[in-house]
Amino acid sequence: MPASQLDPPNASSAGRKDAEFPTVGMVGGGQLARMTAPAAMALGIGFRVLAADPQDSAAQVVPDTVVGSHESLDDLRAFARGCDVLTFDHEHVPTEYLRTLMAEGVVVRPGPDALECAQDKVVMRERLSKAGLACPAWAEVKDPQDVVAFANEHGWPVVVKSARGGYDGRGVSVVHAANEAATLMEQAAPGARWLVEELVEFAAEVSVQVARSPHGQAAVYPVVRSVQRDGICREVVAPADLDEHIAVAAQALALEVAREVDVVGLLAVEMFVTSQGPVVNELAMRPHNTGHWTIDGAVTDQFEQHLRAVLDLPLGDTSALAPWAVMVNVLGGDIPQMYPAYLHCMAHDPGLRIHMYGKQVRPGRKVGHVTVMGDDLQDLLERGRHAAGYLNGEITQ
Amino acid sequence: MPASQLDPPNASSAGRKDAEFPTVGMVGGGQLARMTAPAAMALGIGFRVLAADPQDSAAQVVPDTVVGSHESLDDLRAFARGCDVLTFDHEHVPTEYLRTLMAEGVVVRPGPDALECAQDKVVMRERLSKAGLACPAWAEVKDPQDVVAFANEHGWPVVVKSARGGYDGRGVSVVHAANEAATLMEQAAPGARWLVEELVEFAAEVSVQVARSPHGQAAVYPVVRSVQRDGICREVVAPADLDEHIAVAAQALALEVAREVDVVGLLAVEMFVTSQGPVVNELAMRPHNTGHWTIDGAVTDQFEQHLRAVLDLPLGDTSALAPWAVMVNVLGGDIPQMYPAYLHCMAHDPGLRIHMYGKQVRPGRKVGHVTVMGDDLQDLLERGRHAAGYLNGEITQ
């Protein structure tokens, strides 16, 4: 280790050469914060991260990283002190803490009222249903009997969701009968809250990202198609191959949701495209996996757009740079050593855009993604899937 | 300042979560190193920087920054210890130190023999002339009489250059008569070495970037046109609007230069397009100002390409993403506060790509650049110039 190692940066200077340029603090040190760092660099703003561990994905690459807990008000308060705006790489910060910080003068974007819609599915459904925005039929349920009553009206199977804590398919179950509902709900922690939804028949799962700034400017990205497996997003095709009027309806719905929940920053609205049109499935209030294609494939990527939105800067052009972009997640496989595979993939496909998150490989864990862009969708799908499969060891040639 | 401030990273872990992924060390903490950081993040490799000052452009954003001097062998040695490959954001490292480090087992790319061609214009001209590669007529000169003798053969005015230390037009003078040559050369430090060149009549100044890896794979970028003012690159148009056969000749010449000087990494070959075809003006062995458009405008940007080349990874696709890209440098103006102007520019042009370097504004200093892409070159030129002019205060509406 060199003798002249740089002293740790401090809040008054690091990443903020020019005092007039603001600093954004992002709570959470995952890959979303990691991929926000380049956007902050280009904008010339300060960027700091609150990470749980110094080896977190973003902590590895952001000098102004503070190690602390997003569940500690003291840590949040200390972190916020060096920031002009507080924002998030995940939705797990207790909103009561955010309200306290706001009362103390911290600028929190998105705000707690909006964030609750991404934290709590009952709150989200209530808010959207009240505003008349298209959702699947749903009901809050207390016990398996409520689920049966809902199914008697809407038919089996139904989807039972925990109101909070769901992520990458966790907390969401397709339930075919009363006894399944009973088993599921009995396993839960006391006090867990639930909702039940009709199982929607859909032609496609799509996602629409909207950026919205404090004074209400909004910019919408092209509708993308997402392919899920085991509740985890596996690939994204931009744009979704939809009839123009359906795509426009999906974008309009996303813009209405953004306004209704009064989000500031990026909002991803995951939707089902049904015979009745698009209906809202889930919300995420941050850059999102279904927007990773924008790093390589759009004029303004979702990470820069999020920063611009939370800083109340004018929003950037959301246009795509190529007719098609395909993003495929790289999930950890059985091979812990990824570098040789990565070299092979680069040799195989010079147009491949590889993004690694600096995360230890564990089976099923998102450790990176690849993007390819061009004119021929089928070719792109083959190239993207080959690379992702090769990187995690599913494909060996 | 928060109590839980992260400890400084150390070489064994920072930016290098996965031990199998290599670490590249870049000597120099300027904007080129700063813009290399995002490429290193995406590749998932480790990236460390040797910066002269903790407030240097790259030091602000790279956690694994070491403060030290590129002119100290001890600092270079300590820095190199944590790196798998040593590379450069400038060409000012003494080559004798690099030879010492190589003898000690450090991997240096580009190597000192190649770097000398970017450090010393006499060495470069000798090497290229010997290989029969097109250069302006030139001669090494010891005194003003030698300049006069050269001018008697090639005509006045001539260009007198110091062999070393030139940068952004410094060290290069157009000389019209013997007394000017005398004045110029008398001011120089004792031992300064000089060359004289014919003043080339050119139709365009262009630049061609080549990436070359240790086993000789080479990838060439589209030829771009650069517009210089007072010896400083002001704007770049990609591609240069040249007849196809001239563009191909320029790319071929750049590839020949790369092979001849045995560069590893990025090489920018600045050329004059004359009635006889392209001739070599200057070389730079690193990512280069004339390649900044590739961040937004090419499949693989020059910074990632440099990392891939020095790591001997397969090189990426150099294709442009739009018919035209225009990059305009933002030079420091009279306005030290840039944020309000920057906000205005974003509002004015949502397609504008802004890149700030985190540098204190000083008149004439490169503090950032803007890029715009599209179909209509005239429109792009107007937009790029407007934004750069507005940012430095030359334009106020």
Side-chain angles (χ1 to χ4, degrees), chain A residues 1-11 13-22 34-35 37-38 40-45 48 50 53-56 59-68 75 78-79 81 296 298-301 304 308 311-317 321-322 336-340 342-344 346-361 373, chain B residues 1-11 13-22 34-35 37-38 40-45 48 50 53-56 59-68 75 78-79 81 296 299-301 304 308 311-317 321-322 336-340 342-344 346-361 365 373:
Chain A
M1 181 161 157
S4 49
Q5 186 74 48
L6 180 66
D7 286 337
N10 65 64
S13 65
R16 199 176 169 187
K17 178 80 184 181
D18 192 333
E20 73 178 313
F21 277 65
R34 180 186 177 101
M35 291 186 276
M41 285 184 207
L43 292 174
I45 62 165
R48 64 186 347 214
L50 181 66
D53 187 291
Q55 283 304 323
D56 278 358
Q60 296 170 40
V61 299
V62 175
D64 195 4
T65 292
V66 175
V67 175
D75 285 1
F79 176 72
R81 214 167 283 147
D296 300 297
V299 175
T300 309
D301 79 36
E304 176 175 326
R308 288 165 76 147
L311 286 168
D312 208 8
L313 287 168
L315 300 177
D317 184 351
L321 294 167
Q337 303 294 319
M338 219 169 240
Y339 196 69
Y342 156 116
L343 194 149
H344 169 94
M346 287 185 181
H348 186 79
D349 187 350
L352 187 71
R353 309 293 311 129
I354 298 184
H355 298 265
M356 303 298 292
Y357 304 155
K359 290 160 80 173
Q360 293 288 6
V361 172
M373 296 176 289
Chain B
M1 180 163 159
S4 50
Q5 185 74 47
L6 180 64
D7 287 337
N10 65 64
S13 65
R16 200 178 169 187
K17 179 80 182 179
D18 193 333
E20 71 177 316
F21 277 65
R34 180 186 177 101
M35 291 187 275
M41 285 184 208
L43 291 174
I45 61 165
R48 65 187 344 216
L50 180 66
D53 188 290
Q55 283 304 323
D56 279 357
Q60 296 170 40
V61 297
V62 175
D64 194 4
T65 292
V66 176
V67 175
D75 285 2
F79 177 72
R81 214 167 284 147
D296 299 297
V299 175
T300 309
D301 79 37
E304 176 176 326
R308 289 165 75 147
L311 286 168
D312 208 8
L313 288 168
L315 300 177
D317 185 352
L321 293 167
Q337 304 294 320
M338 219 169 240
Y339 196 70
Y342 156 115
L343 194 149
H344 169 95
M346 286 184 181
H348 185 79
D349 187 349
L352 188 71
R353 309 294 310 128
I354 297 185
H355 298 264
M356 303 300 290
Y357 304 156
K359 290 160 79 172
Q360 292 288 5
V361 171
R365 188 185 204 195
M373 297 176 288

Side-chain angles (χ1 to χ4, degrees), chain A residues 73-287:
Chain A
L73 178 58
D74 286 344
D75 285 1
L76 289 166
R77 187 184 278 129
F79 176 72
R81 214 167 283 147
C83 305
D84 296 287
V85 178
L86 199 69
T87 191
F88 310 96
D89 126 311
H90 58 65
E91 291 108 350
H92 308 316
V93 180
T95 46
E96 63 270 27
Y97 292 169
L98 297 178
R99 292 199 172 90
T100 302
L101 293 176
M102 286 173 72
E104 294 170 6
V106 176
V107 178
V108 178
R109 293 175 177 163
D113 290 347
L115 267 180
E116 271 184 348
C117 291
Q119 290 181 340
D120 189 307
K121 293 181 172 70
V122 171
V123 172
M124 182 265 281
R125 288 290 183 224
E126 277 173 351
R127 192 91 71 93
L128 300 190
S129 298
K130 205 168 287 176
L133 300 175
C135 291
W138 72 282
E140 186 170 5
V141 289
K142 304 273 184 228
D143 52 40
Q145 287 71 43
D146 291 347
V147 175
V148 172
F150 181 89
N152 287 342
E153 187 178 349
H154 295 279
W156 296 99
V158 293
V159 181
V160 176
K161 299 179 172 181
S162 56
R164 287 178 167 264
Y167 185 73
D168 276 351
R170 278 169 278 176
V172 175
S173 304
V174 177
V175 167
H176 298 80
N179 63 330
E180 280 184 34
T183 307
L184 176 73
M185 295 172 83
E186 276 160 14
Q187 289 166 351
R193 289 162 51 251
W194 301 90
L195 67 167
V196 62
E197 297 180 359
E198 65 176 322
L199 183 69
V200 174
E201 273 185 50
F202 57 83
E205 273 187 281
V206 302
S207 176
V208 186
Q209 288 193 294
V210 175
R212 192 164 171 277
S213 63
H215 73 275
Q217 191 195 0
V220 63
Y221 280 90
V223 183
V224 302
R225 184 162 59 83
S226 64
V227 178
Q228 317 276 329
R229 212 179 304 157
D230 304 327
I232 296 178
C233 173
R234 301 301 291 263
E235 63 188 41
V236 169
V237 176
D241 190 14
L242 300 176
D243 287 347
E244 178 70 12
H245 75 279
I246 297 176
V248 169
Q251 288 182 311
L253 178 56
L255 286 162
E256 285 168 26
V257 171
R259 196 183 49 209
E260 179 55 35
V261 303
D262 197 21
V263 71
V264 171
L266 254 284
L267 170 73
V269 185
E270 295 185 275
M271 303 179 189
F272 300 121
V273 177
T274 74
S275 55
Q276 313 298 308
V279 300
V280 175
N281 181 22
E282 307 274 357
L283 305 186
M285 276 176 209
R286 47 174 169 77

Side-chain angles (χ1 to χ4, degrees), chain B residues 180-191:
Chain B
E180 280 184 33
T183 306
L184 177 73
M185 295 172 83
E186 277 160 13
Q187 288 167 352

Side-chain angles (χ1 to χ4, degrees), chain B residues 21-353:
Chain B
F21 277 65
T23 291
V24 173
M26 188 170 266
V27 177
Q31 65 260 32
L32 300 178
R34 180 186 177 101
M35 291 187 275
T36 305
M41 285 184 208
L43 291 174
I45 61 165
F47 184 58
R48 65 187 344 216
V49 163
L50 180 66
D53 188 290
Q55 283 304 323
D56 279 357
S57 181
Q60 296 170 40
V61 297
V62 175
D64 194 4
T65 292
V66 176
V67 175
S69 169
H70 66 268
E71 293 178 321
S72 154
L73 179 57
D74 286 344
D75 285 2
L76 289 166
R77 187 184 277 129
F79 177 72
R81 214 167 284 147
C83 305
D84 296 286
V85 178
L86 199 69
T87 191
F88 311 95
D89 126 309
H90 58 64
E91 292 107 350
H92 308 316
V93 180
T95 46
E96 64 270 27
Y97 292 170
L98 298 179
R99 292 199 172 89
T100 302
L101 294 176
M102 287 173 73
E104 293 170 7
V106 175
V107 178
V108 178
R109 293 173 179 165
D113 290 347
L115 267 180
E116 271 184 348
C117 292
Q119 290 181 341
D120 189 307
K121 293 182 172 69
V122 171
V123 172
M124 182 266 280
R125 288 289 183 225
E126 277 174 351
R127 192 91 71 93
L128 300 190
S129 299
K130 205 168 286 175
L133 300 175
C135 291
W138 72 281
E140 186 169 5
V141 289
K142 305 274 183 225
D143 52 40
Q145 288 71 43
D146 291 347
V147 174
V148 172
F150 182 89
N152 287 342
E153 187 179 350
H154 296 279
W156 296 99
V158 293
V159 182
V160 177
K161 298 179 172 181
S162 56
R164 287 178 167 266
Y167 185 73
D168 274 353
R170 280 169 277 174
V172 176
S173 304
V174 177
V175 166
H176 299 80
N179 63 329
E180 280 184 33
T183 306
L184 177 73
M185 295 172 83
E186 277 160 13
Q187 288 167 352
R193 290 162 52 249
W194 302 89
L195 67 167
V196 61
E197 296 181 359
E198 64 177 322
L199 185 69
V200 174
E201 273 186 48
F202 56 83
E205 274 188 280
V206 302
S207 176
V208 185
Q209 287 193 295
V210 175
R212 192 164 171 278
S213 62
H215 73 276
Q217 191 195 359
V220 62
Y221 280 90
V223 183
V224 302
R225 184 161 60 82
S226 64
V227 178
Q228 317 277 328
R229 212 180 304 158
D230 304 327
I232 296 178
C233 174
R234 301 301 291 263
E235 61 189 42
V236 169
V237 176
D241 190 13
L242 300 176
D243 287 346
E244 177 70 10
H245 75 279
I246 297 176
V248 169
Q251 288 181 311
L253 178 56
L255 286 163
E256 285 168 25
V257 171
R259 196 183 48 209
E260 179 56 35
V261 304
D262 197 21
V263 70
V264 171
L266 255 283
L267 170 73
V269 185
E270 294 185 275
M271 302 179 190
F272 299 122
V273 177
T274 74
S275 56
Q276 313 298 308
V279 301
V280 175
N281 180 22
E282 307 274 356
L283 305 185
M285 277 176 208
R286 47 174 171 76
H288 189 252
N289 198 167
T290 59
H292 289 355
W293 70 276
T294 61
I295 300 173
D296 299 297
V299 175
T300 309
D301 79 37
Q302 63 167 347
F303 301 100
E304 176 176 326
Q305 196 77 294
H306 184 72
L307 292 173
R308 289 165 75 147
V310 301
L311 286 168
D312 208 8
L313 288 168
L315 300 177
D317 185 352
T318 58
S319 303
L321 293 167
W324 295 102
V326 170
M327 189 281 325
V328 186
N329 280 330
V330 178
L331 302 187
D334 298 330
I335 306 171
Q337 304 294 320
M338 219 169 240
Y339 196 70
Y342 156 115
L343 194 149
H344 169 95
C345 288
M346 286 184 181
H348 185 79
D349 187 349
L352 188 71
R353 309 294 310 128

